[in-house]
Amino acid sequence: MIGTVGFTMKKYVLLLSVNFMLLLAVVFVTSHSRKHGEMLTCRFTFVSVPADNEIARGVKKADGELGTDTRLRGLRRKDDESQARLLRWAAYSKVDGVVTSGGNDQDGDLARRIEELAQQEIPVVTVEEDIENASRAAYIGPDPAEVGQKMEKMASDCLRKTERTHENVQSSILLLADRAGNSTQERWLRAFRDAASSDDALQDIRILVGSCGVEEAEVRHSIRQLLSDYHGISVICCFSTAASEHLGKLLSEESSAGEVSALTVGMSDRIREDVEEGRTKGTVFWDREREGYEAIRMLKKQLSRNPEEMASLQTVRSN
């Protein structure tokens, strides 16, 4: 189940964040065959970005409980090209499996690298965001429909409160996503629009769509430009996990934002603080630590489908 936290529940945030369970969506599983050899510890690579800290905790927890060995390869920022280079490194290192998030270019270099890993029988599990046009072994992450529906409900609630305060101001909702096309975020946005189409409270409300980068300076620039281009924005729904890290702080510092309500996705330490301090009115979140744990469990399951395959891992490992 995906959870939401609003500004009226500040003191319960820490308690609630551990009670919501991740709705897992395992989309597809590939088959693997390997040569015979001696069974050794599964050696994996997790290619991550800074916002993936909670997922990384789940990965390390799985290592401790499942006997796997996962090496973290972190990126300073989410960048498909850099991510693809680290996946190429994983292929050269002949690891047994890879965990990574999906990318913005569904037909680009990242998808091709995942395809190359699959051809070498190195399974890839995507977390958080999927990459559909690639031979990944599985996707583990939040249900896109539920993310969009939860966000729409919070936006509708925020808008009702705003309209009671400013009855003569026409309100708009801005949906904010990554600048490059991201299929997962696009599905979240579609689910939001579908829910909004049957919400009587939103029938006369403009729903705008904007984009931004992932760094704080990029998000700040985009917010300023969008607030200047579109008047009457009452709620900003940020579907970018990276931009959500910065939105609450930036809106609180931006004089032109007025009383714009910020809604985000994720529950990092920074987002949690924004909710508690009222800079963000609410967030849609899920158990990201469990995402990491389940990704490692899925990889180990892929490599251990029968005793013959379990006894063959030595042939694909290099020191």
Side-chain angles (χ1 to χ4, degrees):
M1 180 178 180
I2 294 173
T4 60
V5 170
F7 68 100
T8 59
M9 304 171 64
K10 298 175 188 175
K11 65 180 179 180
Y12 300 111
V13 170
L14 293 178
L15 177 62
L16 286 174
S17 64
V18 299
N19 289 330
F20 289 100
M21 302 301 291
L22 173 69
L23 182 58
L24 302 177
V26 178
V27 182
F28 177 71
V29 177
T30 59
S31 298
H32 300 277
S33 61
R34 298 181 182 273
K35 298 179 181 180
H36 294 276
E38 181 183 357
M39 176 63 181
L40 296 173
T41 301
C42 299
R43 187 163 61 89
F44 302 139
T45 291
F46 174 38
V47 177
S48 71
V49 296
D52 289 341
N53 288 340
E54 292 166 304
I55 300 176
R57 285 198 294 269
V59 167
K60 299 316 292 182
K61 181 179 179 181
D63 279 349
E65 295 183 2
L66 304 179
T68 52
D69 178 18
T70 305
R71 181 170 298 181
L72 176 66
R73 293 290 176 180
L75 297 167
R76 188 179 65 84
R77 56 171 289 170
K78 187 164 179 59
D79 178 319
D80 283 7
E81 183 177 348
S82 299
Q83 195 172 348
R85 283 199 298 270
L86 286 182
L87 291 184
R88 178 181 291 177
W89 170 88
Y92 290 154
S93 300
K94 296 191 180 299
V95 297
D96 299 316
V98 175
V99 177
T100 193
S101 61
N104 292 327
D105 186 354
Q106 298 289 300
D107 298 301
D109 196 33
L110 183 58
R112 287 192 291 273
R113 293 290 169 258
I114 293 176
E115 183 68 32
E116 289 173 4
L117 287 166
Q119 290 174 0
Q120 297 177 52
E121 297 186 341
I122 300 175
V124 176
V125 172
T126 54
V127 294
E128 196 81 355
E129 295 177 349
D130 197 13
I131 183 162
E132 295 176 303
N133 299 333
S135 300
R136 45 99 173 99
Y139 163 64
I140 297 177
D143 180 281
E146 194 171 359
V147 172
Q149 291 163 6
K150 294 281 189 181
M151 183 71 84
E152 190 276 338
K153 184 180 185 305
M154 288 197 302
S156 184
D157 291 343
C158 285
L159 201 56
R160 289 188 183 94
K161 293 181 177 68
T162 302
E163 288 184 323
R164 282 198 296 270
T165 305
H166 304 286
E167 295 180 357
N168 297 322
V169 178
Q170 182 183 9
S171 296
S172 301
I173 297 174
L174 172 64
L175 310 183
L176 193 63
D178 283 346
R179 181 169 292 135
N182 182 299
S183 67
T184 300
Q185 291 178 29
E186 287 171 358
R187 291 199 295 272
W188 292 352
L189 264 65
R190 283 199 300 271
F192 182 102
R193 293 193 190 96
D194 290 343
S197 66
S198 58
D199 188 339
D200 293 338
L202 301 187
Q203 295 310 301
D204 297 323
I205 303 300
R206 290 189 308 169
I207 297 181
L208 310 169
V209 178
S211 61
C212 65
V214 297
E215 298 289 348
E216 182 172 343
E218 295 172 328
V219 179
R220 185 188 300 276
H221 175 77
S222 297
I223 290 297
R224 286 179 176 173
Q225 189 64 51
L226 290 165
L227 290 174
S228 174
D229 291 345
Y230 301 108
H231 299 290
I233 294 176
S234 297
V235 183
I236 296 180
C237 301
C238 184
F239 288 90
S240 166
T241 53
S244 289
E245 295 284 311
H246 313 297
L247 184 61
K249 173 178 178 288
L250 295 180
L251 284 180
S252 68
E253 297 172 349
E254 189 63 41
S255 59
S256 61
E259 295 184 16
V260 175
S261 298
L263 300 173
T264 58
V265 291
M267 184 55 88
S268 67
D269 291 341
R270 187 167 184 177
I271 292 174
R272 181 182 289 109
E273 181 180 336
D274 284 341
V275 173
E276 291 174 339
E277 298 299 324
R279 292 186 291 269
T280 296
K281 298 302 183 183
T283 189
V284 181
F285 70 103
W286 47 93
D287 191 339
R288 301 177 79 232
E289 183 174 318
R290 188 179 174 192
E291 269 188 279
Y293 187 99
E294 292 296 332
I296 297 302
R297 189 183 69 82
M298 177 60 66
L299 282 178
K300 186 172 183 180
K301 181 179 179 181
Q302 286 289 290
L303 297 170
S304 308
R305 300 198 317 153
N306 59 55
E308 181 175 295
E309 290 180 69
M310 287 178 66
S312 67
L313 303 183
Q314 185 183 28
T315 59
V316 297
R317 181 172 290 100
S318 61
N319 295 324

